[in-house]
Amino acid sequence: MRTARTIRVRNVAAAVLALGALTGLTACVGGDDEVSTKPKAHASADEKKTDEQPATDADAQEADAKDAKKDEVAKVGDTIELTGMDKGSKLDVTAVKVVDNAKSSDEFTAPESGKRWLAVQFQLVNTGTKAYADSPQNGAQLADSQGQQFQTTFADITAGPSMSSDVKLRPGAKALGWITFELPKASKADVVQFAMDSGFSDKTGEWRLK
């Protein structure tokens, strides 16, 4: 025979289990996704040598403020520090060059009718403490000025070798290669994004193409 005390204990236990399930669901849905447009810091104004007359403290502060504002958004040539899902997984990623209307290096492949290829050369440097292994193309995407997003396409172009689809880097090693996207001829490419772990990492780097 169940007593009132037994019923109350079971009700409390059920409530605790329900709360735990809800908390777990919230944790899965929430996440700490971040899109970083901040380039890796360059040399400070004090470290730059110049033949010009030394600036005053006020001038130096104004110059530093202008440089900081200019460097808020990464552009082609800049490096962004990215982290992966595993502890010790870290990359310095640089969008090195961009080629719009990229040309196929063979006679068998070409963009679909009404579309074009845009390729971005990426450099990946393993700055972490563990090996990096991934297919970088899976973590890259392009967006145009209207917000339309485009995935990568497998294409070899005349600009140079494509990024390997099976990159493995020990700490300190680097990889360089082109990642190609297919988009409508009329689209104005705006930004390119890259994330580790085939795009599943919480931190995504973003570079402005203009």
Side-chain angles (χ1 to χ4, degrees), residues 6 15 27 33 45 47 59 81 93 100 154 162 164 172 188-189 192 196:
T6 302
D33 289 346
E47 296 172 330
D59 290 337
E81 297 176 303
V93 181
D100 205 346
F154 288 101
S162 298
S164 171
K188 296 181 179 179
V192 65
M196 297 176 64

Side-chain angles (χ1 to χ4, degrees), residues 8-170:
R8 284 198 301 270
V9 169
R10 290 184 176 179
N11 287 342
V12 170
V16 170
L17 290 174
L19 179 60
L22 180 60
T23 302
L25 179 60
T26 302
C28 292
V29 174
D32 297 318
D33 289 346
E34 173 191 356
V35 177
S36 175
T37 61
K38 183 180 180 181
K40 193 172 182 179
H42 301 292
S44 65
D46 292 337
E47 296 172 330
K48 296 177 181 178
K49 296 182 180 180
T50 177
D51 295 330
E52 298 178 1
Q53 186 176 355
T56 64
D57 289 343
D59 290 337
Q61 291 177 3
E62 183 179 356
D64 287 341
K66 288 181 179 179
D67 287 342
K69 186 174 182 180
K70 180 177 64 176
D71 289 342
E72 283 178 356
V73 178
K75 57 187 181 301
V76 175
D78 286 332
T79 300
I80 296 179
E81 297 176 303
L82 296 179
T83 52
M85 294 187 293
D86 296 330
K87 184 177 180 180
S89 181
K90 192 175 180 182
L91 290 179
D92 271 1
V93 181
T94 306
V96 182
K97 300 176 184 177
V98 175
V99 173
D100 205 346
N101 287 309
K103 306 301 181 185
S104 175
S105 62
D106 62 64
E107 58 182 308
F108 305 106
T109 56
E112 292 183 10
S113 177
K115 296 185 178 181
R116 73 184 195 275
W117 286 344
L118 185 148
V120 180
Q121 187 184 45
F122 281 99
Q123 177 178 269
L124 315 178
V125 180
N126 187 351
T127 56
T129 57
K130 65 173 297 182
Y132 166 79
D134 198 9
S135 179
Q137 291 91 338
N138 294 339
Q141 65 179 3
L142 185 81
D144 66 11
S145 57
Q146 295 182 341
Q148 298 178 106
Q149 297 185 339
F150 307 96
Q151 303 301 319
T152 60
T153 186
F154 288 101
D156 290 323
I157 59 173
T158 57
S162 298
M163 179 69 74
S164 171
S165 60
D166 187 21
V167 173
K168 293 181 175 66
L169 300 176
R170 57 174 172 74

